[in-house]
Each structure stands twice: as structure tokens, then as C-alpha cells.
């Protein structure tokens, strides 16, 4: 995975345990992996708007935290790919675990009454997050992080599929779109890792405008960012349907999905 003949740039020699396939410091002296950096915007801007909308609608704090958690992953990932510094890598990878724990809590507690807080899953998820953090700080093995993250995603997939199969079948399209988009990102992430040498060679021969399309780690950000955003919308829709808020999906500019409910009065 680690590329060999890379240029040096503003942030010095990479100290991260991972260095992705995109050639370092090619587009800018100040940004190590330019396309891997800017592709994080999809994980930053729409979730911030989602958090504002959720706040305005008076919906539960856990959904505002979900959107902000996704934005935090995007900001951490921006800092990591811009610098390739180990501390920034942690700022990318650890929030992936924390925000997915928030998603898990939302989805497993979606059929409880309004504003109820269940301490047992919160304590369990905190113990999980703290344990993963402590182990990963000691044992700097990226595969450990990937397996822990994958296990959390698997919990989300199983729970979503259960809900749309047995409780709200009309939400199947949203569930499988979110899952499909996320998995497409995962396929591209694997291609980027497995075929890095060929991708790099192909970029030498392709015009730069086309070569950028082969930056599959950047595509992974775009697809998992969109898949995760859709997953939060699904979770919000399940919750607000259960609470009888009559949620509606609206498309901003006819393309970008957002969820609206009648603003709820504080109670
Ligand atoms: C029903 C759909 C489920 C959607 C799940 C949503 C969970 C989203 C949570 C957080 C958003 C994270 C978005 C990805 C950010 C990526 C940032 C990044 O690139 N980080 C790397 C460093 O740059 C980091 O090292 C990458 C780690 C990749 C881990 C890959 C593990 C893949 C796990 C997929 C497992 C699928 C399991 C399916 C089982 C049925
Ligand atoms: Ca690189
Ligand atoms: Zn990344």
C-alpha cells in the first residue's frame, strides 16, 4: 500500500502508519494527498447542514451528534490526508469508531419513547470505544482498527436490514441505497489498495483530467460519505416514523436528499 518514490512537501516526511496510493505532494506543496483531502468535503458540509436542520426541527440530540460525528470524521480525514502525520491519522480513524457507536445507539434504541436514555448500551459502547482507543494507541496496527470498524458497520447493517424487512418495509429503498453506495465505496477502497502499482502506472499515461478518476481512495470517501449520510437519514426516518412525526424526504436542488419533519416543540 505504501508508495515508495514520493515527493517531499510542507509537512515533512510522513509519520502515519498508512500512506495511500495517491502520489504525495503532486498537486500542491502544502497538501500531501490532494484528491484524498478535498474529497472529504462531502463528509463535512452536508452533515453540518443536516445537524442544523435536525436542531431546527427539535429532534433528539443523538441525531445531531450523528451528523456532527460524520463531519468530525471528514475534518479528521482532511487533516490526515493533508499532512500524513500519525497524530492526524488518529484524528481520522478514532472518530470513525466513535461516530459509528453513536449510529449504533440510534439504530438499536429507535423504538423507545421520546428522549428516553438507556444507560446500558451507552456504557457498553463507551467501554468498547475506550478499549479500541487504548489498544490502538499501543498496537499501531491498522488492520485492528479496520476489523473493529467493520464489526460496528456489520451491527448497523444487520439492524437496518432487520427493521426494513420486518417493521418498515417501505424504507427498503433508502436502506439498500445507503448500503449499496457504502459497499461500492468499500470495493473501490480494496481496488485502490490491491492494484496501487497498476493505478499509478495508468496515471502516468492518462491525461491528468482522466487520471484523477482513478483516485479510488478519494471515491471511497465520496461513496462512504454519501452512504453514511443516507444511513443517518434512514435512522432519522425510522425514529420519526415511530414517534409519529410524519417525516418527509426532500431533495435540495432536485438531487441532494434531506429529511424534514414538522418542528417539534420542546417537552
Ligand atoms: C447500512 C449502511 C451502513 C452505513 C454505515 C455507516 C457508518 C459510518 C460511520 C462513519 C463514517 C465513516 C466514513 C468513512 C471515512 C473514511 C475515512 C478514511 O478514509 N479513513 C482511513 C484513513 O484515511 C482509514 O484508515 C480507513 C479505514 C477503512 C476501514 C475499512 C473497513 C471497511 C469495513 C466495511 C465492512 C463491511 C461489513 C459489512 C458486513 C455485512
Ligand atoms: Ca500517498
Ligand atoms: Zn481516507
Amino acid at each position: 500500500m505504501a508508495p515508495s518514490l514520493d515527493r517531499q512537501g510542507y509537512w515533512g516526511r510522513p509519520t502515519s502508519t498508512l500512506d495511500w496510493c495517491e502520489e504525495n505532494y503532486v498537486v500542491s506543496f502544502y497538501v500531501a494527498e490532494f484528491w484524498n483531502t478535498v474529497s472529504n468535503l462531502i463528509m463535512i458540509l452536508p452533515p453540518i447542514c443536516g445537524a442544523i436542520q435536525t436542531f431546527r426541527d427539535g429532534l433528539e440530540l443523538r441525531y445531531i451528534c450523528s451528523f456532527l460525528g460524520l463531519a468530525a470524521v471528514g475534518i479528521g480525514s482532511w487533516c490526515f490526508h493533508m499532512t500524513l502525520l500519525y497524530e492526524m491519522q488518529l484524528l481520522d480513524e478514532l472518530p470513525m469508531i466513535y461516530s459509528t457507536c453513536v449510529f449504533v445507539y440510534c439504530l438499536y434504541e429507535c423504538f423507545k419513547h421520546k428522549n428516553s436514555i438507556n444507560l446500558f448500551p451507552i456504557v457498553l459502547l463507551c467501554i468498547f470505544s475506550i478499549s479500541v482507543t487504548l489498544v490502538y494507541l499501543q498496537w499501531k496496527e491498522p488492520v485492528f482498527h479496520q476489523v473493529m470498524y467493520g464489526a460496528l458497520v456489520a451491527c448497523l447493517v444487520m439492524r437496518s436490514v432487520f427493521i426494513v424487512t420486518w417493521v418498515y418495509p417501505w424504507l427498503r429503498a433508502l436502506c439498500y441505497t445507503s448500503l449499496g453506495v457504502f459497499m461500492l465505496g468499500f470495493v473501490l477502497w480494496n481496488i485502490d489498495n490491491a492494484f496501487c502499482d497498476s493505478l499509478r502506472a495508468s496515471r502516468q499515461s492518462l491525461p491528468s483530467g482522466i487520471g484523477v478518476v482513478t483516485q479510488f481512495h478519494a471515491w471511497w470517501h465520496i461513496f462512504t460519505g454519501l452512504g453514511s449520510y443516507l444511513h443517518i437519514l434512514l435512522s432519522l426516518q425510522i425514529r420519526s416514523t415511530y414517534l409519529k412525526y410524519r417525516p418527509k424526504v426532500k431533495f435540495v436542488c432536485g438531487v441532494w436528499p434531506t429529511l424534514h419533519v414538522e418542528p417539534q416543540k420542546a417537552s
Side-chain angles (χ1 to χ4, degrees):
M1 196 189 295
S4 49
L5 290 169
D6 274 316
R7 297 184 197 178
Q8 296 299 307
Y10 181 79
W11 302 99
R13 194 169 288 280
T15 54
S16 53
T17 60
L18 289 166
D19 184 346
W20 303 96
C21 186
E22 181 179 349
E23 299 79 354
N24 298 349
Y25 296 107
V26 166
V27 178
S28 163
F29 177 72
Y30 297 98
V31 182
E33 295 176 337
F34 183 83
W35 299 109
N36 289 349
T37 301
V38 295
S39 54
N40 285 298
L41 282 176
I42 194 166
M43 251 185 287
I44 301 174
L45 300 180
I48 289 177
C49 298
I52 294 170
Q53 183 64 44
T54 307
F55 176 73
R56 279 195 189 139
D57 288 347
L59 298 174
E60 289 159 313
L61 179 66
R62 66 187 82 161
Y63 291 98
I64 300 175
C65 292
S66 298
F67 279 123
L68 292 181
L70 183 56
V73 174
I75 293 168
S77 183
W78 177 291
C79 296
F80 168 45
H81 289 290
M82 185 171 80
T83 63
L84 291 181
L85 297 176
Y86 173 68
E87 292 75 12
M88 300 299 136
Q89 180 181 351
L90 293 179
L91 214 58
D92 169 325
E93 293 180 333
L94 292 176
M96 285 173 72
I97 300 288
Y98 308 149
S99 59
T100 314
C101 283
V102 177
F103 291 17
V104 168
Y105 179 78
C106 289
L107 209 57
Y108 279 81
E109 290 292 299
C110 62
F111 299 129
K112 300 280 165 68
H113 37 95
K114 193 186 170 194
N115 288 328
S116 65
I117 292 177
N118 189 351
L119 277 182
F120 180 68
I122 294 181
V123 170
L124 212 63
L125 289 166
C126 284
I127 292 176
F128 178 81
S129 298
I130 294 169
S131 312
V132 169
T133 304
L134 293 177
V135 172
Y136 197 44
L137 287 175
Q138 292 300 315
W139 186 36
K140 300 179 171 83
E141 171 54 64
V143 175
F144 168 73
H145 166 265
Q146 289 158 14
V147 170
M148 294 299 109
Y149 175 68
L152 288 172
V153 173
C155 293
L156 286 177
V157 172
M158 287 186 299
R159 179 72 171 162
S160 326
V161 170
F162 175 85
I163 293 173
V164 302
T165 305
W166 301 107
V167 190
Y168 296 142
W170 63 91
L171 290 177
R172 263 186 212 156
L174 182 55
C175 174
Y176 290 115
T177 305
S178 149
L179 184 57
V181 169
F182 188 93
M183 285 304 167
L184 174 59
F186 184 46
V187 169
L188 297 177
W189 182 81
N190 283 294
I191 293 176
D192 193 66
N193 293 335
F195 300 105
C196 180
D197 290 341
S198 325
L199 288 170
R200 286 188 139 206
S202 76
R203 290 199 277 267
Q204 300 289 329
S205 50
L206 290 169
S208 64
I210 296 178
V212 67
V213 177
T214 66
Q215 298 291 358
F216 287 151
H217 189 87
W219 285 110
W220 140 265
H221 287 163
I222 291 169
F223 285 113
T224 49
L226 177 59
S228 306
Y229 175 88
L230 292 176
H231 175 81
I232 303 175
L233 288 196
L234 171 73
S235 182
L236 248 178
Q237 185 141 17
I238 291 169
R239 181 69 175 150
S240 38
T241 303
Y242 176 76
L243 295 174
K244 301 193 170 56
Y245 288 169
R246 286 183 292 158
K248 277 199 191 83
V249 175
K250 288 187 186 163
F251 290 87
V252 176
C253 302
V255 277
W256 189 262
T258 55
L259 192 95
H260 295 259
V261 298
E262 299 279 305
Q264 305 300 309
K265 295 195 188 85
S267 61

